[in-house]
Structures are given as structure tokens and as C-alpha cells.
Amino acid sequence: MLTSLRQYLPILSWGARYDRNALSNDLIAAVIVTIMLIPQSLAYALLAGLPPEAGIYASIVPIMLYSVFGTSRALAVGPVAVVSLLTASAVGQVADAGTAGYAVAALTLALLSGVFLLVLGLFRLGFLANFLSHPVIAGFITASGILIAASQLKHILGIQASGHTLVETLISLGEHIGDVNVITLVIGVLATGFLFWVRKGLKPLLRKAGLGPRMADVLTKAGPVAAVVATTLVAWGLGLQDRGVSIVGSVPQSLPPFTMPGLGLDLIRQLAVPAVLISIIGFVESVSVAQTLAAKKRQRIDPNQELIGLGAANIGAAFTGGYPVTGGFARSVVNFDAGAETPAAGAFTAVGLAIAAVALTPLVYYLPNATLAATIVVAVLSLVDVSILKKTWRYSRSDFAAVAATIVLTLVLGVEIGVASGVILSIVLHLYKTSQPHVAEVGLVPGTQHFRNVNRHEVHTDPTLLTLRPDESLYFVNARFLEDLITDRIARDAQVKNVVLMCSAMNDIDYSALESLEALNERLKELGIGLHLSEVKGPVMDKLKGTHFPDEMNGRVFLAQYDAWRALTDDSTVRAAE
């Protein structure tokens, strides 16, 4: 019973070993992450088209729930740039930004995402995320980073603009370029330049000044807070609101409220597909970060339990005024580098954000939206990896095509079509690659019992014996390909008397492939050619033994390919090879 509870409540495992040292490290990490999250949460809510407080609300209860159900010691859950963009895109199609319906739709989107993730976790379906290839994910995130940066230019320029695609956004910016607010532009450009400098130049400067690595790191992470404080004071002191500078304005001074998502069937139908896409993207990003950080400390995470943890976090966001959340790369790395020992660091971060929500929100009244936009631009441009195009072009043209198509479709047609295309492309790529598996004709390496590709090695062959090694499991997609290949090969060579399938690379043969082998066996039997198998793996052989195929096969099953060689090759050829 306790073991089962620990499986679904990881807090019971790490909590039993929690000590003073872990508490100290978690508290320090929480302070650093809280400082970083305050401006980020406000900024990502702006990106999602929601009031700034929604970003803070989405960073409190979800983090606490993840600390109970999640398995990563360092993953920091909350609003992230890509999910915020996806939220704005999905919710913007069912309600107008700034309306009550928009906020309710965002809550519903979080609820649907949470339920979907929870169901996947309970049914142990985390493997489904593997169908989204890394190159496609990289392409989507790169395109999303460009879209997000472009969407924030309106706040930095101080103009009104709109658009769901890069083309629409640029056209809208061009149409309103004459309305640029110079003061807003100066604030946005200076804030952006300062934040870029903080990322690269502040920590080395502080280290040269004699500060220790921990303090230098804390001050570097507090860079966005410095930008927030400075621009807020300037906007307040100079009365920039009266000179056309857009500010955050009044932010409710309260803890996350209890909220109810919309449960209308029409709303659910409209948001169901976006919720699934957001869940998949968020889960893949979250798990990749969690696994990377866990490996550095020789720890492990459970992807299926991560689904449950993220599902609980999103459901929590739905009932506490938030919107969809996931594990963020930047904040998780900061949490890890700051020394977080357990998920309790996330819970302490939530407490810090709760204190900020109650005590500090009045201080951001005069905060320019241009500063928040600068925070977003600097954060997302680190996600842009154009080099993935060059890398995939050199390594695999099919992967390059998938990456390029994902980037172009996302930029031109929008994020939802882009991510949907990425999912479809990942599956199509997998099916394409396995539909035409590499099949090597092999021969005996002289003086050994090893068999290698005749096109790569000097090997002995027998003109009457055709040995093929399919480097893939056989299933409905590629079974006909192998059947046609063998048929064409024997049609060109009348000397072939025996065909051996070397099955060392086969992990499975499905029923469609079995039927294809049966048809091939009948065809070869009519031609007087034997069909043999060698090096069949145990689980595959167990399945075959449950059918009539081994008895009806016009040949034998050999334990090793060398046994087949000796049995089916004349003695003179065997002696020559030895």
C-alpha cells in the first residue's frame, strides 16, 4: 500500500529523507527563482493576453501541486513563453482579449490540458510524446521564439498592432509605424539592451569586483528586477503615463482566487485540440529539461508520473485564476544551479510569489509594458536556434525538410497549424523511414563466423544462397517492401536456390508481416526455392511458434547464420571460406 502511494505521491519518498541541509539549499534556490519569476510571470501573462496578475496566480498553486506529484528535484513549473503564445492563439479564437470570456476560456484551456495530461499519466501513455521528434520540436520552438519576439515589438514601439502570424504582425507594425511613441521606444530599447548585457556581462564584472560566485549569480538573476525597478521609478517620477507610455496599472493585491472554468460543450469543443497540442508541447519540453537536470546528479524521473504532476498543476491553475503551465527551461536551470535539492524548493518559491502577490503588486502600477516586452524578447531569443537547419541539412535531408516545414508553417500560418504540422510530420517521418528499411545482403567474413554487408566488406558468397538482413522490425508498413525486394532479386538471378532472412535486427513481426512472409513462402515454394530464417530473437520466435508458419515454411529456422551457411552451401565453398 505504501509503495503504491509513493509511486503516485513522490513527496512521501523525498520528504522522509528531508533534512536541514536540504532545507537550507531549497530556501536559497527559492529566493533566487522568486526574484526571477516576479517580472517573468507578469510578462508571460501579458504575452498570453491576460491581466498581469494571472501570471503570478499561475505560478503559485501549480508549483505546490507539482512539488507533491512531480518526480523532478529541480523542475520549476509555471508560465512559459511558448505555452503563453499558444494560449493567446487558442483563446483569441473564441473570445476577445480583455473580456471576461477570454479569462474563462484560458481557465478552461488549463483544465482541459490538465485532464488530458492526467489521463495520459494514469494510463502510462507517456511514450506517445516520443512521436514528436526533437528536430521538429526545435523547429517549432525556434519559429515560436521569432513570433513571440515580433509580437512584443508593438509594446516596445508603443503602438497598436495585431496578427497571429509573422507576416500579419509585420504588416500590422508597418501600418502603425507612424504612431511610435518615442519615450516608450527609448525605454524598450534601453531595457532590452540592459537585459542582454546582464545575461552575458554582469556576472564576470561582479566576479572581478570580488563577489563570490553565489552572490554574483543571485545579482545576475536579479537583473530583470533591476530593470523593472528602474523603469518603474522613471515612469512614476516623470509622469510618463500622461505622455502616452503604456503601464501595467492596477494589479489586484490578493492571493489566487477560486475560479471556475467554463464547462460549456461548445467552448470545450473549440479548445479541445489546442489543449492537446499545448499538453504535448509542454510535456516534451518539461520532460527533456527534467531528464537533463536529473542526469547531472545521477537521479531519474518517471515520465508517466511527470504527466500526473503536470496534469495536477494545470488543473490547479484552472481553479486559481491561472492558465496552462509547464516546466520552464530557464527557471529550472536557475533552480538547479542555485542548489535546489528537492521539489520543496518549488513550494518555497510559491510561498515567495504569494507574498509578492499580497504585498508587492501595488509597486508595479507604473511599470512600463515596454519593460515586460523587453523581458520576453530577451528570454525567447535564447530559444531561437537557426543552426538546427544547418545541422539537419548535413545529417539528414528528411529531418531538414521536417524542421524547415515546421518553421515556415509556424511563421506563415500560425502556431497551432505549426505544432499540428510538427506532430504529423514526426509521425510521417517515422513511417517513411521504417517503410523502406535498410536491407543488407550479407556474406561470410573470411576466417570468421561473422556476416557483413557485401557492399562494405570483402566477404565470401555463394551464388545459390541469398542471405538478407533487414535492419528493422517487420510490420504492416514495410512488409510488402521486403516481399517485393526478394521477389525482384530472385527474378534477376536464376542461380538462387535458397533465401535466408537473417533476423538479428528484428524485434517484432506483426500479423501483416506474417501474412506477407506466408505469401512469399508460397511463391518461393512454387519456384523450388527454400525460405529459411536465422538468428530469430526469442520473443519473435515465440510468436511464430503460435502459428502454422514454421511448419509450412519451405525451409528451416537456424540458431545462427553460420549454421545456415554451412547447411545450405556446398562443401567446396565452405572450405574456401575457412
Side-chain angles (χ1 to χ4, degrees):
M1 180 66 178
L2 184 59
T3 302
S4 179
L5 277 177
R6 284 178 174 173
Q7 179 183 350
Y8 292 103
L9 293 172
I11 190 174
L12 297 178
S13 296
W14 61 262
R17 300 187 298 271
Y18 203 68
D19 56 23
R20 184 176 297 180
N21 182 61
L23 173 64
S24 174
N25 290 332
D26 286 345
L27 285 173
I28 293 172
V31 170
I32 296 173
V33 176
T34 300
I35 292 172
M36 175 187 180
L37 274 185
I38 292 173
Q40 258 197 11
S41 298
L42 297 172
Y44 289 152
L46 179 72
L47 175 59
L50 292 163
E53 65 270 16
I56 295 180
Y57 295 161
S59 302
I60 297 177
V61 173
I63 297 179
M64 290 185 168
L65 288 171
Y66 178 82
S67 68
V68 173
F69 295 100
T71 59
S72 171
R73 305 294 180 94
L75 192 69
V77 172
V80 299
V82 174
V83 171
S84 297
L85 177 65
L86 288 167
T87 297
S89 176
V91 177
Q93 295 180 26
V94 300
D96 294 328
T99 64
Y102 191 95
V104 170
L107 297 174
T108 304
L109 190 63
L111 177 63
L112 293 176
S113 297
V115 170
F116 179 71
L117 289 167
L118 196 61
V119 168
L120 288 182
L122 291 174
F123 285 94
R124 319 297 287 176
L125 298 176
F127 70 90
L128 292 176
N130 296 332
F131 285 99
L132 202 58
S133 71
H134 173 72
V136 167
I137 282 286
F140 173 72
I141 291 177
T142 293
S144 296
I146 296 171
L147 271 180
I148 292 169
S151 72
Q152 296 308 296
L153 291 178
K154 62 183 179 184
H155 297 295
I156 292 177
L157 296 172
I159 62 177
Q160 296 294 322
S162 60
H164 294 292
T165 69
L166 183 62
V167 176
E168 291 175 357
T169 301
L170 293 179
I171 290 175
S172 183
L173 288 170
E175 291 173 346
H176 296 87
I177 197 69
D179 302 329
V180 171
N181 184 293
V182 177
I183 299 175
T184 300
L185 177 60
V186 171
I187 292 173
V189 170
L190 289 178
T192 304
F194 172 74
L195 291 174
F196 271 120
W197 174 77
V198 163
R199 282 190 164 227
K200 299 292 184 181
L202 182 57
K203 188 172 183 178
L205 187 65
L206 293 174
R207 294 289 288 127
K208 286 182 181 179
L211 288 180
R214 177 63 66 89
M215 182 56 67
D217 196 52
V218 171
L219 292 177
T220 299
K221 300 300 185 295
V225 176
V228 167
V229 172
T231 55
T232 300
L233 290 175
V234 169
W236 169 70
L238 300 180
L240 297 184
Q241 180 186 9
D242 299 328
R243 302 173 68 177
V245 175
S246 175
I247 61 174
V248 168
S250 179
V251 177
Q253 193 173 354
S254 67
L255 291 173
F258 175 76
T259 52
M260 275 298 295
L263 300 177
L265 292 179
D266 188 55
L267 181 62
I268 291 174
R269 179 184 57 79
Q270 290 176 292
L271 294 177
V273 173
V276 170
L277 296 177
I278 286 173
S279 300
I280 293 173
I281 290 294
F283 174 63
V284 171
E285 179 181 354
S286 178
V287 166
S288 63
V289 174
Q291 288 177 332
T292 299
L293 297 179
K296 291 183 178 181
K297 288 190 174 182
R298 296 190 177 185
Q299 297 168 349
R300 62 176 298 275
I301 66 165
D302 180 353
N304 289 304
Q305 185 61 31
E306 284 298 292
L307 284 166
I308 295 175
L310 292 173
N314 276 279
I315 292 173
F319 290 98
T320 55
Y323 65 98
V325 298
T326 191
F329 176 77
R331 68 172 65 103
S332 296
V333 171
V334 169
N335 197 35
F336 179 85
D337 290 342
E341 292 281 344
T342 72
F348 296 145
T349 298
V351 173
L353 289 170
I355 294 172
V358 172
L360 302 180
T361 49
L363 302 179
V364 299
Y365 183 93
Y366 290 98
L367 172 62
N369 284 326
T371 304
L372 294 180
T375 302
I376 293 173
V377 169
V378 173
V380 300
L381 287 183
S382 65
L383 303 176
V384 176
D385 180 18
V386 182
S387 67
I388 191 68
L389 291 169
K390 183 179 180 180
K391 294 173 183 175
T392 51
W393 175 263
R394 288 180 174 178
Y395 188 76
S396 169
R397 298 299 166 84
S398 60
D399 282 338
F400 168 81
V403 172
T406 302
I407 291 176
V408 171
L409 289 172
T410 302
L411 293 177
V412 175
L413 300 178
V415 290
E416 288 188 7
I417 294 179
V419 69
S421 301
V423 173
I424 294 171
L425 281 170
S426 296
I427 296 173
V428 169
L429 269 177
H430 171 72
L431 294 177
Y432 172 75
K433 290 176 180 177
T434 57
S435 68
Q436 301 184 48
H438 177 260
V439 180
E441 183 174 344
V442 299
L444 180 65
V445 178
T448 73
Q449 296 184 12
H450 301 296
F451 290 79
R452 295 292 183 268
N453 193 326
V454 298
N455 295 321
R456 294 177 178 272
H457 301 272
E458 292 292 333
V459 294
H460 285 290
T461 59
D462 184 335
T464 67
L465 178 63
L466 173 63
T467 301
L468 298 176
R469 187 195 66 216
D471 293 331
E472 183 67 67
S473 294
L474 294 183
Y475 70 121
F476 65 96
V477 171
N478 59 25
R480 187 60 182 269
F481 173 83
L482 179 63
E483 182 182 347
D484 292 343
L485 186 149
I486 294 174
T487 301
D488 292 343
R489 177 68 173 79
I490 62 175
R492 298 195 311 268
D493 193 343
Q495 298 184 77
V496 174
K497 299 301 180 185
N498 289 287
V499 174
V500 179
L501 289 182
M502 186 175 173
C503 303
S504 55
M506 288 187 198
N507 294 317
D508 189 30
I509 297 176
D510 77 356
Y511 191 76
S512 296
L514 175 64
E515 290 186 326
S516 183
L517 289 177
E518 289 174 340
L520 178 64
N521 180 61
E522 290 301 318
R523 192 176 306 167
L524 294 179
K525 185 185 296 185
E526 292 174 359
L527 296 173
I529 299 175
L531 176 64
H532 312 269
L533 305 180
S534 72
E535 302 191 7
V536 183
K537 293 185 177 180
V540 178
M541 196 65 230
D542 290 342
K543 290 177 67 175
L544 292 179
K545 286 180 178 178
T547 71
H548 298 293
F549 180 66
D551 298 327
E552 297 174 355
M553 193 169 62
N554 186 35
R556 297 165 54 190
V557 178
F558 294 93
L559 181 63
Q561 176 57 32
Y562 186 70
D563 296 337
W565 165 268
R566 290 191 63 97
L568 303 174
T569 304
D570 62 67
D571 292 339
S572 61
T573 304
V574 172
R575 286 194 298 271
E578 295 176 344

